[in-house]
Coordinates of all heavy atoms in Angstrom, one line a residue:
M199 N -25.7 -32.0 -40.1 CA -24.6 -31.3 -39.7 C -24.7 -30.8 -38.2 O -25.9 -30.6 -37.8 CB -24.5 -30.0 -40.6 CG -23.1 -29.4 -40.6 SD -22.7 -28.3 -41.9 CE -21.9 -29.5 -43.0
A200 N -23.7 -30.9 -37.5 CA -23.7 -30.6 -36.1 C -23.9 -29.1 -35.9 O -23.3 -28.3 -36.6 CB -22.4 -31.1 -35.4
K201 N -24.6 -28.7 -34.8 CA -24.7 -27.3 -34.4 C -23.7 -27.2 -33.2 O -23.8 -27.9 -32.3 CB -26.1 -27.0 -34.0 CG -27.1 -27.0 -35.1 CD -28.2 -25.9 -34.9 CE -29.2 -25.9 -36.0 NZ -28.6 -25.4 -37.2
V202 N -22.7 -26.3 -33.4 CA -21.7 -26.1 -32.4 C -21.5 -24.7 -32.0 O -21.9 -23.8 -32.8 CB -20.3 -26.7 -32.9 CG1 -20.4 -28.2 -33.1 CG2 -19.9 -25.9 -34.1
T203 N -21.1 -24.4 -30.8 CA -20.8 -23.1 -30.4 C -19.3 -22.9 -30.5 O -18.5 -23.8 -30.1 CB -21.2 -23.0 -28.9 OG1 -22.6 -23.2 -28.7 CG2 -20.8 -21.6 -28.4
V204 N -19.0 -21.8 -31.1 CA -17.5 -21.4 -31.2 C -17.4 -20.2 -30.2 O -18.1 -19.2 -30.2 CB -17.2 -20.9 -32.6 CG1 -15.7 -20.4 -32.6 CG2 -17.3 -22.1 -33.5
R205 N -16.5 -20.4 -29.2 CA -16.3 -19.5 -28.1 C -15.0 -18.8 -28.3 O -14.0 -19.5 -28.4 CB -16.5 -20.2 -26.8 CG -16.5 -19.2 -25.6 CD -16.9 -20.0 -24.3 NE -18.2 -20.6 -24.4 CZ -18.5 -21.8 -23.9 NH1 -17.7 -22.5 -23.3 NH2 -19.8 -22.2 -24.0
Y206 N -14.9 -17.5 -28.3 CA -13.7 -16.7 -28.5 C -13.2 -16.2 -27.3 O -14.0 -15.7 -26.4 CB -14.0 -15.5 -29.5 CG -14.7 -16.0 -30.8 CD1 -16.0 -15.6 -31.0 CD2 -14.0 -16.5 -31.8 CE1 -16.7 -16.0 -32.1 CE2 -14.6 -16.9 -33.0 CZ -15.9 -16.6 -33.2 OH -16.5 -16.9 -34.3
W207 N -11.9 -16.1 -27.1 CA -11.2 -15.6 -25.9 C -10.2 -14.5 -26.3 O -9.6 -14.6 -27.4 CB -10.5 -16.8 -25.2 CG -11.5 -17.7 -24.6 CD1 -11.8 -18.9 -25.2 CD2 -12.2 -17.7 -23.4 NE1 -12.7 -19.6 -24.4 CE2 -13.0 -18.8 -23.3 CE3 -12.3 -16.7 -22.4 CZ2 -13.9 -19.1 -22.3 CZ3 -13.2 -17.0 -21.4 CH2 -14.0 -18.1 -21.3
A208 N -10.0 -13.6 -25.4 CA -9.0 -12.5 -25.5 C -9.0 -11.8 -26.9 O -10.1 -11.3 -27.3 CB -7.6 -13.1 -25.2
A209 N -7.9 -11.9 -27.6 CA -7.8 -11.1 -28.9 C -8.8 -11.7 -30.0 O -9.3 -10.9 -30.8 CB -6.4 -11.3 -29.5
A210 N -9.2 -12.9 -29.9 CA -10.1 -13.5 -30.9 C -11.5 -12.9 -30.5 O -12.3 -12.6 -31.5 CB -10.1 -15.0 -30.7
K211 N -11.8 -12.8 -29.3 CA -13.1 -12.2 -28.9 C -13.2 -10.7 -29.3 O -14.2 -10.3 -29.8 CB -13.3 -12.3 -27.3 CG -14.6 -11.6 -26.8 CD -14.6 -11.9 -25.4 CE -15.8 -11.2 -24.8 NZ -15.8 -11.4 -23.3
A212 N -12.1 -10.0 -29.1 CA -12.1 -8.7 -29.6 C -12.2 -8.5 -31.1 O -13.0 -7.6 -31.7 CB -10.8 -7.9 -29.2
A213 N -11.5 -9.4 -31.9 CA -11.6 -9.3 -33.3 C -13.0 -9.8 -33.8 O -13.5 -9.3 -34.8 CB -10.5 -10.2 -33.9
A214 N -13.6 -10.7 -33.2 CA -15.0 -11.2 -33.6 C -16.1 -10.2 -33.2 O -17.1 -10.2 -33.8 CB -15.3 -12.6 -33.0
G215 N -15.9 -9.5 -32.1 CA -16.9 -8.6 -31.6 C -17.9 -9.3 -30.8 O -18.9 -8.6 -30.4
V216 N -17.8 -10.5 -30.6 CA -18.8 -11.3 -29.8 C -18.0 -12.3 -29.0 O -16.9 -12.7 -29.4 CB -19.8 -12.0 -30.7 CG1 -20.7 -11.0 -31.3 CG2 -19.3 -12.9 -31.7
A217 N -18.7 -12.8 -28.0 CA -18.0 -13.8 -27.1 C -18.2 -15.3 -27.7 O -17.3 -16.1 -27.5 CB -18.6 -13.8 -25.7
E218 N -19.3 -15.5 -28.4 CA -19.5 -16.9 -28.9 C -20.6 -16.8 -30.0 O -21.4 -15.7 -30.1 CB -19.9 -17.8 -27.9 CG -21.3 -17.5 -27.1 CD -21.5 -18.5 -26.0 OE1 -20.6 -18.9 -25.2 OE2 -22.7 -19.0 -25.9
E219 N -20.6 -17.8 -30.8 CA -21.5 -17.8 -32.0 C -21.9 -19.3 -32.2 O -21.0 -20.2 -31.9 CB -20.9 -17.2 -33.2 CG -20.5 -15.8 -33.1 CD -19.9 -15.3 -34.4 OE1 -18.8 -15.7 -34.8 OE2 -20.6 -14.5 -35.1
L220 N -23.0 -19.5 -32.9 CA -23.4 -20.9 -33.3 C -23.1 -21.1 -34.8 O -23.2 -20.1 -35.6 CB -24.9 -21.0 -33.2 CG -25.4 -21.1 -31.6 CD1 -26.9 -21.2 -31.6 CD2 -24.7 -22.2 -30.9
F221 N -22.6 -22.3 -35.1 CA -22.3 -22.6 -36.5 C -22.7 -24.0 -36.8 O -22.9 -24.8 -35.8 CB -20.8 -22.5 -36.8 CG -20.2 -21.1 -36.8 CD1 -19.7 -20.6 -35.6 CD2 -20.3 -20.3 -38.0 CE1 -19.2 -19.3 -35.6 CE2 -19.8 -19.0 -37.9 CZ -19.2 -18.5 -36.8
D222 N -23.0 -24.3 -38.0 CA -23.2 -25.7 -38.5 C -21.9 -26.2 -39.0 O -21.4 -25.7 -40.0 CB -24.3 -25.7 -39.6 CG -25.7 -25.4 -39.0 OD1 -26.0 -25.7 -37.9 OD2 -26.5 -24.8 -39.8
A223 N -21.4 -27.3 -38.4 CA -20.0 -27.9 -38.8 C -19.9 -29.2 -38.3 O -20.3 -29.5 -37.2 CB -18.9 -26.9 -38.4
D224 N -19.2 -30.1 -39.0 CA -19.0 -31.5 -38.6 C -17.5 -31.7 -38.2 O -17.2 -32.6 -37.5 CB -19.4 -32.5 -39.7 CG -20.9 -32.6 -39.9 OD1 -21.6 -32.6 -38.9 OD2 -21.4 -32.8 -41.0
T225 N -16.7 -30.7 -38.5 CA -15.3 -30.8 -38.2 C -14.7 -29.5 -37.7 O -15.4 -28.4 -38.1 CB -14.4 -31.2 -39.3 OG1 -14.4 -30.3 -40.4 CG2 -14.8 -32.6 -39.9
V226 N -13.6 -29.4 -37.1 CA -13.0 -28.2 -36.7 C -12.7 -27.3 -38.0 O -13.0 -26.1 -38.0 CB -11.7 -28.3 -35.9 CG1 -11.0 -27.0 -35.6 CG2 -12.1 -29.0 -34.5
A227 N -12.2 -28.0 -39.0 CA -11.9 -27.2 -40.3 C -13.2 -26.5 -40.8 O -13.1 -25.4 -41.2 CB -11.4 -28.2 -41.3
E228 N -14.3 -27.2 -40.8 CA -15.6 -26.6 -41.3 C -16.0 -25.5 -40.4 O -16.5 -24.4 -40.9 CB -16.7 -27.6 -41.4 CG -16.5 -28.7 -42.4 CD -17.6 -29.7 -42.4 OE1 -18.6 -29.6 -41.7 OE2 -17.5 -30.7 -43.3
A229 N -15.9 -25.6 -39.1 CA -16.2 -24.5 -38.2 C -15.3 -23.3 -38.4 O -15.8 -22.2 -38.4 CB -16.1 -25.0 -36.7
L230 N -14.0 -23.5 -38.6 CA -13.1 -22.4 -38.7 C -13.4 -21.7 -40.1 O -13.3 -20.5 -40.3 CB -11.7 -22.8 -38.6 CG -11.3 -23.2 -37.2 CD1 -9.9 -23.7 -37.1 CD2 -11.6 -22.1 -36.2
D231 N -13.7 -22.5 -41.2 CA -14.0 -21.9 -42.4 C -15.3 -21.1 -42.3 O -15.3 -19.9 -42.9 CB -14.3 -23.0 -43.5 CG -13.0 -23.7 -44.0 OD1 -12.0 -23.2 -43.8 OD2 -13.2 -24.7 -44.6
A232 N -16.3 -21.5 -41.5 CA -17.4 -20.7 -41.3 C -17.2 -19.4 -40.6 O -17.7 -18.4 -40.9 CB -18.5 -21.5 -40.6
V233 N -16.3 -19.5 -39.5 CA -15.9 -18.3 -38.8 C -15.2 -17.3 -39.8 O -15.5 -16.1 -39.7 CB -14.9 -18.7 -37.7 CG1 -14.2 -17.5 -37.0 CG2 -15.7 -19.4 -36.6
R234 N -14.3 -17.8 -40.6 CA -13.6 -16.9 -41.5 C -14.5 -16.3 -42.5 O -14.4 -15.1 -42.9 CB -12.5 -17.7 -42.3 CG -11.3 -18.1 -41.4 CD -10.3 -18.8 -42.3 NE -9.3 -19.6 -41.5 CZ -9.3 -20.9 -41.1 NH1 -10.3 -21.6 -41.7 NH2 -8.5 -21.4 -40.4
G235 N -15.6 -16.9 -42.9 CA -16.5 -16.5 -43.8 C -17.3 -15.4 -43.2 O -17.7 -14.4 -43.8
R236 N -17.7 -15.5 -42.0 CA -18.5 -14.6 -41.2 C -17.6 -13.3 -40.8 O -18.2 -12.2 -40.6 CB -19.2 -15.2 -40.0 CG -20.2 -14.3 -39.4 CD -21.0 -15.0 -38.3 NE -21.8 -16.1 -38.7 CZ -22.4 -16.9 -37.9 NH1 -22.4 -16.8 -36.7 NH2 -23.1 -17.9 -38.5
H237 N -16.4 -13.5 -40.6 CA -15.5 -12.5 -40.0 C -14.2 -12.3 -40.9 O -13.1 -12.5 -40.3 CB -15.1 -12.7 -38.5 CG -16.3 -12.9 -37.6 ND1 -16.9 -11.8 -37.1 CD2 -16.9 -14.0 -37.1 CE1 -17.9 -12.2 -36.3 NE2 -17.9 -13.5 -36.3
P238 N -14.3 -11.9 -42.1 CA -13.1 -11.7 -42.8 C -12.3 -10.5 -42.2 O -13.0 -9.6 -41.6 CB -13.6 -11.4 -44.2 CG -15.0 -10.9 -44.0 CD -15.5 -11.6 -42.8
G239 N -11.1 -10.5 -42.2 CA -10.3 -9.4 -41.6 C -9.5 -9.8 -40.5 O -8.8 -10.8 -40.5
E240 N -9.5 -9.0 -39.4 CA -8.6 -9.2 -38.3 C -8.7 -10.6 -37.6 O -7.8 -11.2 -37.2 CB -8.8 -8.1 -37.2 CG -8.0 -8.2 -36.0 CD -6.4 -8.1 -36.3 OE1 -6.1 -7.5 -37.3 OE2 -5.6 -8.6 -35.5
L241 N -9.9 -11.1 -37.5 CA -10.1 -12.4 -36.9 C -9.3 -13.5 -37.7 O -8.8 -14.4 -37.1 CB -11.6 -12.8 -36.7 CG -11.8 -14.0 -36.0 CD1 -11.2 -14.1 -34.6 CD2 -13.3 -14.4 -35.8
V242 N -9.4 -13.4 -39.0 CA -8.7 -14.4 -39.8 C -7.1 -14.4 -39.4 O -6.6 -15.4 -39.3 CB -8.9 -14.1 -41.3 CG1 -7.9 -15.0 -42.2 CG2 -10.3 -14.3 -41.7
R243 N -6.6 -13.2 -39.2 CA -5.2 -13.1 -38.8 C -5.0 -13.7 -37.4 O -4.0 -14.4 -37.2 CB -4.8 -11.7 -38.9 CG -4.6 -11.1 -40.3 CD -4.1 -9.8 -40.5 NE -5.0 -8.8 -40.2 CZ -6.1 -8.3 -41.0 NH1 -6.2 -8.8 -42.1 NH2 -6.9 -7.4 -40.6
V244 N -5.9 -13.4 -36.5 CA -5.8 -13.9 -35.1 C -5.9 -15.3 -35.2 O -5.0 -16.1 -34.4 CB -6.8 -13.3 -34.2 CG1 -6.9 -13.9 -32.9 CG2 -6.6 -11.8 -34.1
L245 N -6.7 -16.0 -35.9 CA -6.9 -17.4 -35.9 C -5.6 -18.2 -36.3 O -5.4 -19.3 -35.8 CB -8.0 -17.9 -36.9 CG -9.4 -17.6 -36.5 CD1 -10.4 -18.0 -37.6 CD2 -9.8 -18.3 -35.3
R246 N -4.7 -17.5 -37.1 CA -3.4 -18.2 -37.4 C -2.5 -18.6 -36.3 O -1.7 -19.4 -36.3 CB -2.7 -17.4 -38.4 CG -3.4 -17.3 -39.8 CD -2.6 -16.4 -40.8 NE -3.3 -16.1 -41.9 CZ -3.5 -14.9 -42.4 NH1 -2.9 -13.8 -41.8 NH2 -4.3 -14.7 -43.5
R247 N -2.8 -17.8 -35.2 CA -1.9 -17.9 -33.9 C -2.6 -18.7 -32.8 O -2.0 -18.9 -31.8 CB -1.5 -16.5 -33.4 CG -0.8 -15.6 -34.4 CD -0.3 -14.3 -33.9 NE -1.3 -13.6 -33.1 CZ -2.1 -12.7 -33.6 NH1 -1.9 -12.3 -34.8 NH2 -2.9 -12.1 -32.7
C248 N -3.8 -19.1 -33.0 CA -4.7 -19.7 -32.0 C -4.4 -21.2 -31.8 O -4.0 -21.9 -32.8 CB -6.1 -19.5 -32.3 SG -6.6 -17.7 -32.1
S249 N -4.7 -21.6 -30.6 CA -4.9 -23.0 -30.4 C -6.5 -23.2 -30.1 O -7.1 -22.3 -29.9 CB -4.1 -23.6 -29.2 OG -4.4 -22.8 -28.0
F250 N -6.9 -24.5 -30.1 CA -8.3 -24.8 -30.2 C -8.6 -26.0 -29.1 O -7.8 -26.9 -29.0 CB -8.8 -25.2 -31.5 CG -8.5 -24.1 -32.5 CD1 -7.3 -24.2 -33.3 CD2 -9.3 -23.0 -32.7 CE1 -7.1 -23.2 -34.3 CE2 -9.0 -21.9 -33.5 CZ -7.9 -22.1 -34.3
L251 N -9.6 -25.8 -28.5 CA -10.2 -26.9 -27.6 C -11.5 -27.3 -28.2 O -12.4 -26.5 -28.5 CB -10.4 -26.5 -26.2 CG -9.1 -26.0 -25.4 CD1 -9.7 -25.5 -24.0 CD2 -8.1 -27.1 -25.2
V252 N -11.8 -28.6 -28.2 CA -13.1 -29.2 -28.6 C -13.6 -29.9 -27.4 O -13.0 -30.9 -26.9 CB -13.0 -30.1 -29.8 CG1 -14.4 -30.8 -30.1 CG2 -12.5 -29.3 -31.0
D253 N -14.7 -29.4 -26.9 CA -15.4 -30.0 -25.7 C -14.3 -30.2 -24.5 O -14.3 -31.2 -23.9 CB -16.1 -31.2 -26.0 CG -17.2 -31.0 -27.0 OD1 -17.8 -29.9 -27.0 OD2 -17.5 -31.9 -27.8
G254 N -13.4 -29.2 -24.4 CA -12.4 -29.2 -23.3 C -11.1 -29.9 -23.6 O -10.2 -29.9 -22.9
D255 N -11.1 -30.6 -24.8 CA -9.8 -31.4 -25.2 C -9.0 -30.7 -26.2 O -9.6 -30.1 -27.2 CB -10.2 -32.8 -25.8 CG -10.9 -33.7 -24.7 OD1 -10.4 -33.6 -23.6 OD2 -11.8 -34.4 -25.1
P256 N -7.7 -30.5 -26.1 CA -6.9 -29.8 -27.0 C -6.9 -30.5 -28.4 O -6.8 -31.7 -28.5 CB -5.5 -29.8 -26.4 CG -5.6 -30.2 -25.0 CD -6.9 -31.0 -25.0
V257 N -7.0 -29.7 -29.4 CA -6.9 -30.2 -30.8 C -5.4 -30.5 -31.0 O -5.1 -31.5 -31.8 CB -7.4 -29.2 -31.8 CG1 -7.1 -29.6 -33.2 CG2 -8.9 -29.0 -31.6
G258 N -4.5 -29.7 -30.6 CA -3.1 -29.8 -30.8 C -2.7 -29.9 -32.2 O -3.2 -29.0 -32.9
T259 N -1.9 -30.8 -32.6 CA -1.4 -30.8 -34.0 C -2.1 -31.6 -34.9 O -1.8 -31.8 -36.2 CB 0.1 -31.3 -34.0 OG1 0.2 -32.7 -33.5 CG2 1.0 -30.4 -33.2
R260 N -3.3 -32.2 -34.4 CA -4.1 -33.0 -35.4 C -4.6 -32.1 -36.5 O -5.0 -30.9 -36.3 CB -5.3 -33.6 -34.5 CG -4.9 -34.7 -33.7 CD -6.1 -35.3 -32.9 NE -6.6 -34.3 -31.9 CZ -7.8 -34.3 -31.4 NH1 -8.6 -35.2 -31.6 NH2 -8.1 -33.4 -30.4
G261 N -4.9 -32.7 -37.6 CA -5.4 -31.9 -38.7 C -6.9 -31.5 -38.4 O -7.7 -32.4 -38.0
H262 N -7.2 -30.2 -38.6 CA -8.5 -29.8 -38.3 C -9.6 -30.5 -39.0 O -10.7 -30.7 -38.5 CB -8.6 -28.3 -38.5 CG -7.7 -27.5 -37.6 ND1 -7.4 -26.2 -37.9 CD2 -7.1 -27.8 -36.5 CE1 -6.5 -25.7 -36.9 NE2 -6.4 -26.7 -36.1
E263 N -9.3 -31.0 -40.2 CA -10.4 -31.8 -40.9 C -10.6 -33.2 -40.3 O -11.5 -33.8 -40.7 CB -9.9 -31.8 -42.4 CG -8.7 -32.6 -42.7 CD -7.4 -32.1 -42.3 OE1 -7.3 -30.8 -42.1 OE2 -6.4 -32.7 -42.4
T264 N -9.8 -33.6 -39.5 CA -9.9 -34.9 -38.9 C -10.5 -34.8 -37.5 O -10.9 -35.9 -36.9 CB -8.5 -35.6 -38.7 OG1 -7.7 -35.0 -37.7 CG2 -7.8 -35.7 -40.0
V265 N -10.7 -33.7 -36.9 CA -11.4 -33.6 -35.6 C -12.8 -33.3 -35.8 O -13.3 -32.3 -36.2 CB -10.7 -32.4 -34.8 CG1 -11.3 -32.3 -33.5 CG2 -9.2 -32.6 -34.7
G266 N -13.6 -34.3 -35.4 CA -15.1 -34.3 -35.5 C -15.7 -33.5 -34.4 O -15.1 -33.3 -33.4
L267 N -16.8 -32.9 -34.7 CA -17.6 -32.2 -33.8 C -19.0 -32.8 -33.5 O -19.6 -33.3 -34.4 CB -17.9 -30.8 -34.2 CG -16.6 -29.9 -34.5 CD1 -17.0 -28.7 -35.1 CD2 -15.8 -29.7 -33.3
A268 N -19.4 -32.8 -32.2 CA -20.7 -33.4 -31.8 C -21.7 -32.3 -31.7 O -21.4 -31.2 -31.5 CB -20.6 -34.1 -30.4
D269 N -23.0 -32.6 -32.1 CA -24.1 -31.7 -32.0 C -24.1 -31.2 -30.6 O -24.1 -32.0 -29.6 CB -25.3 -32.4 -32.4 CG -26.5 -31.4 -32.6 OD1 -26.2 -30.4 -33.4 OD2 -27.5 -31.6 -32.1
G270 N -24.1 -29.8 -30.4 CA -24.2 -29.2 -29.1 C -22.8 -29.0 -28.6 O -22.7 -28.5 -27.4
G271 N -21.7 -29.4 -29.3 CA -20.4 -29.3 -28.8 C -19.9 -27.8 -28.8 O -20.6 -26.9 -29.3
T272 N -18.6 -27.7 -28.3 CA -18.0 -26.3 -28.2 C -16.6 -26.4 -28.7 O -15.9 -27.2 -28.4 CB -18.0 -25.8 -26.8 OG1 -19.3 -25.8 -26.3 CG2 -17.5 -24.5 -26.7
V273 N -16.3 -25.3 -29.5 CA -15.0 -25.1 -30.0 C -14.4 -23.9 -29.3 O -15.1 -22.8 -29.5 CB -14.8 -25.0 -31.5 CG1 -13.4 -24.7 -31.9 CG2 -15.3 -26.2 -32.2
E274 N -13.4 -23.9 -28.5 CA -12.8 -22.8 -27.8 C -11.7 -22.3 -28.7 O -10.8 -23.1 -29.1 CB -12.2 -23.1 -26.4 CG -13.3 -23.8 -25.6 CD -14.2 -23.0 -24.7 OE1 -13.9 -21.7 -24.8 OE2 -15.1 -23.5 -24.2
V275 N -11.6 -21.0 -28.9 CA -10.6 -20.4 -29.8 C -9.7 -19.5 -28.8 O -10.2 -18.6 -28.2 CB -11.1 -19.4 -30.8 CG1 -10.1 -18.8 -31.6 CG2 -12.2 -20.2 -31.7
L276 N -8.4 -20.0 -28.6 CA -7.5 -19.5 -27.6 C -6.3 -18.8 -28.2 O -5.4 -19.6 -28.7 CB -7.1 -20.6 -26.7 CG -8.2 -21.4 -26.0 CD1 -7.6 -22.7 -25.4 CD2 -8.9 -20.6 -25.0
P277 N -6.2 -17.6 -28.3 CA -5.0 -16.8 -28.7 C -3.9 -17.1 -27.8 O -4.2 -17.5 -26.6 CB -5.4 -15.4 -28.9 CG -6.9 -15.4 -28.7 CD -7.3 -16.6 -28.0
P278 N -2.7 -16.8 -28.2 CA -1.5 -17.0 -27.2 C -1.8 -16.0 -26.1 O -2.2 -14.8 -26.3 CB -0.4 -16.5 -28.0 CG -0.7 -16.7 -29.5 CD -2.2 -16.5 -29.5
F279 N -1.5 -16.4 -24.9 CA -1.7 -15.5 -23.7 C -0.3 -15.0 -23.2 O 0.6 -16.0 -23.2 CB -2.4 -16.2 -22.6 CG -3.9 -16.5 -22.9 CD1 -4.3 -17.7 -23.5 CD2 -4.8 -15.6 -22.6 CE1 -5.5 -18.0 -23.8 CE2 -6.2 -15.9 -22.9 CZ -6.5 -17.0 -23.5
A280 N -0.2 -13.9 -22.9 CA 1.1 -13.4 -22.3 C 1.1 -13.6 -20.8 O 0.0 -13.7 -20.2 CB 1.3 -11.9 -22.6
G281 N 2.2 -13.6 -20.2 CA 2.3 -13.7 -18.8 C 3.2 -14.8 -18.3 O 3.8 -15.5 -19.1
G282 N 3.3 -14.9 -17.0 CA 4.2 -15.9 -16.5 C 3.6 -16.9 -15.7 O 3.0 -17.8 -15.6

């Protein structure tokens, strides 16, 4: 299983209470399941509105279970940002 860093931004960071964490996961779906298990509550609600980057590339509309993660990779959790 890959060891990946999940990095939280804005409201996700506030809900997690940390800027980043390490998880064992081979797909984005597995990483997000692990995040939800570690942070039940507000972060679960925030994740529903987030977009995600894997090693700098947008996940977009691809199924999270189809997006593989490399050992040492990073998943960025990006809540909607306000502004112009």
Side-chain angles (χ1 to χ4, degrees):
M199 198 159 270
K201 294 215 180 283
V202 297
T203 300
V204 176
R205 191 170 295 144
Y206 306 106
W207 295 95
K211 181 178 174 181
V216 295
E218 61 184 46
E219 301 179 288
L220 292 175
F221 290 94
D222 292 325
D224 288 324
T225 66
V226 171
E228 289 177 6
L230 294 177
D231 285 346
V233 167
R234 289 181 195 100
R236 191 174 292 176
H237 300 282
E240 182 60 24
L241 184 56
V242 172
R243 288 183 285 283
V244 171
L245 288 175
R246 291 183 194 129
R247 301 184 315 263
C248 290
S249 58
F250 306 95
L251 300 176
V252 173
D253 297 329
D255 294 325
V257 171
T259 59
R260 291 180 288 165
H262 294 164
E263 67 283 349
T264 68
V265 181
L267 301 173
D269 195 45
T272 302
V273 177
E274 307 273 352
V275 179
L276 306 168
F279 292 91

